[in-house]
Amino acid sequence: MHDPLLRRRALPRLGVGLMAAPASAAPGTEGFAPDLEEKLAAGLRSGLLPGLHALLVARHGQVVLAHYGQGPDESWGRPLGEVRSGPEVPHDLRSVTKSVVGLLYGIALARGAVPPPEAPLLAQFPEYPDLAADPARQALRVSDALDMTMGLAWDESRPYTDPANSEIAMENAADRYRYVLEQPVEHPRGTRWTYSGGAVALLGALIARGTGQSLPDFAQAALFEPLGFESGGWAAGRDGVPSAASGLRLTAPALLRIGEMVLAGGAWEGRRVVPEAWLAAMTRPAVPTGDGLHYSRLWYLGGGYVPGLGGPRPWLGAFGNGGQRLYLMPAAGLAMACFCGLYNRPEQAATPLRIWREIVLANLVRG
């Protein structure tokens, strides 16, 4: 499930006390200005970081900032009441799930279980010969689902409580895959980015069909187990199909570990997990999103100014409704996993973005 990124709005500064100051790193926060924890605490006291449930920041594999809070939470729209977060407490990833599925597709591709990005998309769904016969759809490629450039009508700008939201309509459809593929053609394929949980549903189907495993089972065997953890659950629709777009739940340390594996070039403890070639394609900007970012293989690509490093550095990220985030800055060996409970709220992006920009990047120093 998508969330507004608020990049076009100027976010209020957290205050002078949270900005970087020239200094050597304190013990336990190597590579950062001192009092990093106090800067986060000041942001929480100020009320400018609402809804924060969990935060982990690591640099070069060393956790330099950790916070677990408490607040109302939910699981795929089902209220859970007041939840005290902790390192063993699973949390909804929402659309961060999409980026995990992007990694899973790369793993399945290396195993020969799924079609390559250049393969015709409709040919992978032979049960819809009428759609495959449509000349306007014959040009669709698997890469268009991976980069969300299918050109089919899709609207997730509506609240996820609205049945007219395309993802919710897909969940309510008798056949989710037909629903996605039969949407009107609005643009030529590959020319425009349109956020689409439906595109990811198609990819989830290709993974499950090609591997002979359910999406959660393949994820556990191919990604989570090599990284040393188990999922905290995977929500499914009324048809029993696990949601590839938004259904995964993980703990904060598990999400951080995925990020650290990506930073390590796709390997973990000497074992290849995600192919290097897939990560190279994933970090090569494919299509602009229209708001200053790019998108590739279900990951966002952007850049952030880092005073301590003397200028901007590229990052890649996974974003989810409610303020769920995984930010990675390879040039700095930096990973940030963030969970929030701001589901469907217009200001949901503010908390993780402020932490990333004004606490993490602003206080990073050389080293």
Side-chain angles (χ1 to χ4, degrees), residues 338-350:
C338 180
F339 293 154
C340 297
L342 304 171
Y343 308 104
N344 298 315
R345 289 167 56 173
E347 74 278 16
Q348 61 186 274

Side-chain angles (χ1 to χ4, degrees), residues 22 32 40 67 69 77 79 83 137 153 248 258 262 296 340 354 359:
F32 282 87
L40 176 64
H67 169 83
V83 175
R137 300 172 201 275
L248 180 58
I258 290 175
V262 172
S296 182
C340 297
R354 284 173 174 146
I359 295 178

Side-chain angles (χ1 to χ4, degrees), residues 254-280:
L255 181 59
L256 185 72
R257 189 166 294 183
I258 290 175
E260 291 181 314
M261 178 272 297
V262 172
L263 289 177
W268 190 255
E269 296 183 344
R271 176 179 177 180
R272 169 60 51 192
V273 181
V274 179
E276 288 183 288
W278 185 260
L279 294 183

